[in-house]
Amino acid sequence: MATLLHLDSAVLPEGSTSRDVTAAFVEAWIEQHPDGTVVRRDLAAAPLPHLGAAAVIAGASDPLRRELADELAGADAVVIGAPMYNFTIASTLKAWLDQVIIVGHNTGPDSPVAGTPVTVVASRGGSYAPGTPREGFEFVQNYLKTLLTSMFSAEVDFIVPELTLARSKPEMAELVPLADASRAKAFDDARLKAKELAARLAA
């Protein structure tokens, strides 16, 4: 049976696009692979401690770091909700990354995570797509792609629902159709990706 690791980092428990899309991903995964296992961590509801000197020195012998590393290594696929806050990821997700990355234990081309498909739902209130005025402010996809591939040799894909603030900000009213289309595509992409991965791993 395949195991899916599901991480959410959105601060708000409700009304979060990234949470909604990761939930759709998980639902589709379960429909396709009902005998599989889903391990969930809500990094906002139960934040991890920031990495300290003692944990750095202990490495994989630190109980928490070892638990997180084993959890990640045991996953056949990973889905991460990574909304943009102040142009980058939530500090809770950064704390998880700092804890779970143990150089010399689970990094490099021989990492137990190598080849694991990681789907990141990178929601954002505006648009930071190539060609937009804020293209250079995009530090979610660029950072996570570099980190997850270079440290873990993971297989990383992104689902990017953008313009999520369009319906709540009058100055973005003209962008509502684009926002709605982006949201709908994100749900479609999440369900399709989840079904593809579940079928691939169940084969």
Side-chain angles (χ1 to χ4, degrees):
M1 295 189 300
T3 297
L4 172 68
L5 176 60
H6 172 199
L7 305 173
D8 276 319
S9 63
V11 172
L12 297 177
E14 297 181 359
S16 161
T17 297
S18 68
R19 286 180 182 274
D20 291 345
V21 176
T22 62
F25 183 104
V26 173
E27 182 180 14
W29 168 280
I30 293 172
E31 288 176 357
Q32 184 71 32
H33 190 37
D35 294 329
T37 301
V38 178
V39 177
R40 183 166 190 252
R41 278 194 180 268
D42 188 329
L43 300 173
L48 298 168
H50 289 295
L51 188 64
V56 171
I57 294 169
S61 65
D62 178 87
L64 175 59
R65 300 192 75 192
R66 186 58 181 255
E67 176 186 348
L68 296 172
D70 288 348
E71 198 170 75
L72 178 60
D76 298 288
V78 183
V79 61
I80 302 175
M84 178 184 283
Y85 294 116
N86 299 319
F87 308 123
T88 189
I89 62 173
S91 63
T92 51
L93 180 54
K94 180 62 164 62
W96 178 81
L97 289 165
D98 288 342
Q99 293 282 7
V100 80
I101 295 170
I102 308 174
V103 176
H105 174 71
N106 63 357
T107 58
D110 296 324
S111 167
V113 189
T116 299
V118 179
T119 304
V120 180
V121 179
S123 59
R124 60 276 315 273
S127 179
Y128 300 81
T132 62
R134 288 196 166 187
E135 175 183 357
F137 291 75
E138 208 300 309
F139 300 111
V140 174
Q141 288 176 264
N142 293 336
Y143 170 65
L144 290 177
K145 178 78 171 181
T146 301
L147 184 74
L148 294 170
T149 56
S150 65
M151 299 302 284
F152 291 135
S153 299
E155 173 191 308
V156 185
D157 287 304
F158 289 92
I159 296 171
V160 187
E162 60 180 14
L163 303 169
T164 63
L165 292 176
R167 286 192 171 274
S168 61
K169 289 187 173 293
E171 63 270 28
M172 295 178 67
E174 64 180 16
L175 298 174
V176 167
L178 291 176
D180 290 348
S182 179
R183 180 180 173 87
K185 184 177 185 302
F187 278 103
D188 288 344
D189 288 349
R191 294 185 184 104
L192 179 61
K193 186 67 176 179
K195 289 178 180 179
E196 287 178 348
L197 288 175
R200 185 174 106 191
L201 294 169

